[in-house]
Amino acid sequence: MKLPITILTITLAFLAWAHGGEQVFKQPSEFIKQSFGGKIPETSVISLSGDIKSRAKNIMAHNYRESRVRYWKQGSRSVWILEEIGKTEPITTGFLVENGRIKSVEILIYRESHGWEVNKPFFTKQFSSASLKEGDQISADIKNIAGATLSVRAVTKLARLALYLDSQV
Amino acid sequence: MKSKISSTIAAALCIAAVQTASAHTFRERLAEGGRLSAEDIDAAFATPQNLAWYDRFTFGSYGEAHFNTGDVADKFDIHRIVLFTAYEFTDKLIFVSEVELEHLYSNDPGTDLVWELEQAYFELDLGNDYHLQAGAFLVPVGITNEIHEPTTFYGVERNAIETEILPSTWTEFGFLLRKNYDNGLQWDFAVHRGLDVDARNVNLSGPDLRNGRQKTEGFDDLGSAATARVRYTGINGLELAASIQYQDDITTGGADNNAVLTTAHFIYTNGGFGLRGLAANWHIGGDTSVGGVTQAGREIDDQFGGYIEPSYKWSFNNGMAVGVFARAMHWRNEDAPDGQTNYQAGFNFWPTENIVVKADWEHEDRANGRSNRDNYNFGVGYAF
């Protein structure tokens, strides 16, 4: 009986101690600012309907979580802040696309308990200069990380979606 | 009484509806576009603090069914169905549980239905990439013990080394602290309950470690074991990991049967090519002459094994994939005191990323006077 009581006590202590605040690596507005020289351009919106909706669905393997996706564009640059669930929680990811190629990827808000590796530059730098190739696949060879498969898959899908949506605006 | 309950439910639903509505306000504004402030943009992507209770739940499942034939008796088995649930108390505290239903149906009369807890722990984000788990968690050893959804590995059955030497799925009660670094390094340190090997599971020439798992039936000696692991994933496509575990006494009795487990593995992928290998060794102290569980003179106080597995996977634009693999395994334990070598080859077909169909051939080269066997395995699995 000692063990369940110990676990219960510690659990209650955790509950009492735990407090709010999520793992925000960078605020979305900061990512937009750094992509456009310190300013936030006007927010634009693309509706996912018709062909765009079905191509987005093919990329994500399900309908994207929102039917209207916002983006920020100036000249040949566009910023997309997209979300996809890894295992249990949405991963908020920022993509800067320039001339149809990914210039930078950053995980902005991470809520999963596993798959932490995708937050790190050694993973996100693989997307640098990637473009969309035949079949809406990504041109870069994004290597899987055992134990983070779902997070890797989620971020890779979002990169494909960002490149595809960029080609439509 | 009935109307009181109805009013309470109605009130709860109203509160949930209001919470959901307020949570979506910023998103709706953002979806309209136009000139928006940094605060509005950030609020749109933040997790609402007033999440409705049903938004805090996550469900998932995986399962697999197998058919084995060849030199073993034909066996059909709905091997396992696992239900996963997580609940987010706060942004920093979650509860994770997995409940497993094993052998839901089997034509083997000796295979019984098993209903067991695979995981049930609280995880607290301590900040600075430190995480603490408390409860029943998977011991951080090897590849398969923590990641064993059927869509993630080749072969119908889990490999013999991570069944016989690393007794996956291996759940223990205790505490685990994990730290991640930006360069891809991770360490884990856990203090937990250990194996409980007693006279009933000493086979042929030594202890049957797999049967020493206490699962949720025994609570002997919390804190009698400690496991440390270092894992490195900083080079894309490569994972390196090593674990060491010390157990005070794997019989949880009076005899001096301390045990040390060491294991290391690597996983390398490049395009469709994959290569993985693992080695594990148990050193168990105390032989029968001093009241221990190992046999004097048989030197089976060392149980070890390893495998190597090359594979190649082709992924298609329509989301389908097919992969082939080969595996060579060698191990020595209480059931194979003179060693056993298995060779395996087969394929996986993924019609979607969440479903897999598998087939393989396995040759068992068995020592100690037992005849060799060729088995054929077929399986289907899912994970979502």
Side-chain angles (χ1 to χ4, degrees), chain B residues 51-71:
Chain B
L51 268 183
W53 62 270
Y54 47 81
D55 282 333
R56 295 181 181 277
F57 275 107
T58 307
F59 297 98
S61 177
Y62 66 89
E64 52 195 321
H66 301 160
F67 178 65
N68 314 111
T69 187
D71 291 336

Side-chain angles (χ1 to χ4, degrees), chain A residues 3 7 10-11 14-15 17-23 27-29 32-33 40-43 45 66 68 70 72 81 83 87-89 92 109 111 113-114 116-117 120-123 126 134-135 137 141 143-147 153 157, chain B residues 27 30-36 38 41-42 45-47 58 84 88 90-94 121-124 126 129 132 147 149 173 175 178 180-186 219 222 231 233-234 236-237 239 267 269-271 317 353:
Chain A
L3 177 66
I7 288 177
I10 288 165
T11 301
F14 279 2
L15 283 168
W17 181 52
H19 54 278
E22 56 206 349
Q23 213 173 352
Q27 287 291 1
S29 61
I32 300 167
K33 280 184 195 167
I40 300 177
E42 196 163 294
T43 305
V45 175
E66 287 170 295
R68 289 164 61 78
R70 78 289 298 168
W72 294 263
I81 298 175
E83 294 181 323
K87 181 162 185 174
T88 63
E89 300 292 334
T92 305
I109 307 172
R111 305 167 177 92
S113 60
H114 290 82
W116 58 274
E117 291 93 339
K120 307 301 181 190
F122 69 78
F123 173 74
Q126 293 183 96
E134 194 188 343
Q137 299 297 316
D141 174 25
K143 295 198 165 60
N144 186 39
I145 301 168
R153 200 180 280 168
K157 279 183 193 172
Chain B
R27 281 197 180 267
L30 192 61
E32 286 163 12
R35 183 70 60 187
L36 293 173
I41 292 169
D42 295 340
F45 291 101
T47 304
T58 307
F84 165 90
E88 184 184 335
T90 74
D91 299 332
K92 292 193 177 291
L93 180 67
I94 58 169
Y121 63 84
F122 290 89
E123 177 161 320
L124 183 64
L126 300 170
D129 282 330
L132 182 65
I147 302 158
E149 288 84 347
F173 285 87
F175 301 94
R178 185 176 76 239
N180 307 325
Y181 296 89
D182 284 354
N183 60 6
L185 194 66
Q186 168 188 335
F219 292 105
L222 172 67
R231 180 168 169 262
T233 50
N236 290 309
E239 170 177 324
I267 300 173
T269 55
N270 191 349
N317 287 346
E353 62 191 19

Side-chain angles (χ1 to χ4, degrees), chain B residues 207-221:
Chain B
D208 180 351
L209 297 170
R210 185 170 179 76
N211 278 336
R213 294 175 301 171
Q214 301 188 72
K215 301 197 173 178
T216 48
E217 292 161 6
F219 292 105
D220 288 334
D221 287 356

